[in-house]
Amino acid sequence: MATNPPGPALPNKARMAILAELEKERRRLLNAPGASISLSRPSLKEFRDNAEQQHIAAQQKAALQHAHTHSSGFFITQDSSFGNLILPVIPRLEPES
């Protein structure tokens, strides 16, 4: 079993100076550019929203792939007010003169 070696302990002023220096360094790192990393856990709502977005993206990819293989038309993925995952694209034809 290891024990602390006998000897003089750090004086209280030295401990306070070390703690103050550590606190100053922590604040400097948190205020530095690029220190936007959240130290807290993401909320359940954020986690659910992220999972839902990934699920929709997977559905869009599958629908687009299915449409391209089974149709001769052109389709794009786009958010729709009506819940459509892909939308058909009709090319514009120039009128003949």
Side-chain angles (χ1 to χ4, degrees):
M1 179 180 252
T3 60
N4 290 337
L10 282 176
N12 198 22
K13 283 185 180 183
R15 283 188 191 141
M16 295 303 286
I18 291 171
L19 288 174
E21 183 66 29
L22 287 173
E23 181 65 22
K24 189 166 75 171
E25 182 71 13
R26 184 182 72 84
R27 286 185 184 163
R28 185 187 65 79
L29 290 173
L30 287 176
N31 291 333
S36 62
I37 299 171
S38 175
L39 298 177
S40 63
R41 286 209 237 151
S43 69
L44 181 60
K45 183 182 182 311
E46 291 171 349
F47 180 75
R48 202 173 335 132
D49 290 345
N50 188 22
E52 185 177 326
Q53 288 295 328
Q54 288 177 349
H55 181 67
I56 289 172
Q59 284 180 327
Q60 278 182 334
K61 185 177 178 183
L64 186 64
Q65 189 174 23
H66 179 78
H68 279 266
T69 56
H70 295 349
S71 174
S72 60
F74 297 99
F75 297 89
I76 60 169
T77 58
Q78 182 174 344
D79 291 336
S80 169
S81 300
F82 303 102
N84 299 323
L85 297 175
I86 60 172
L87 300 174
V89 178
I90 302 171
R92 291 186 184 186
L93 300 175
E94 296 294 325
E96 293 183 22
S97 304

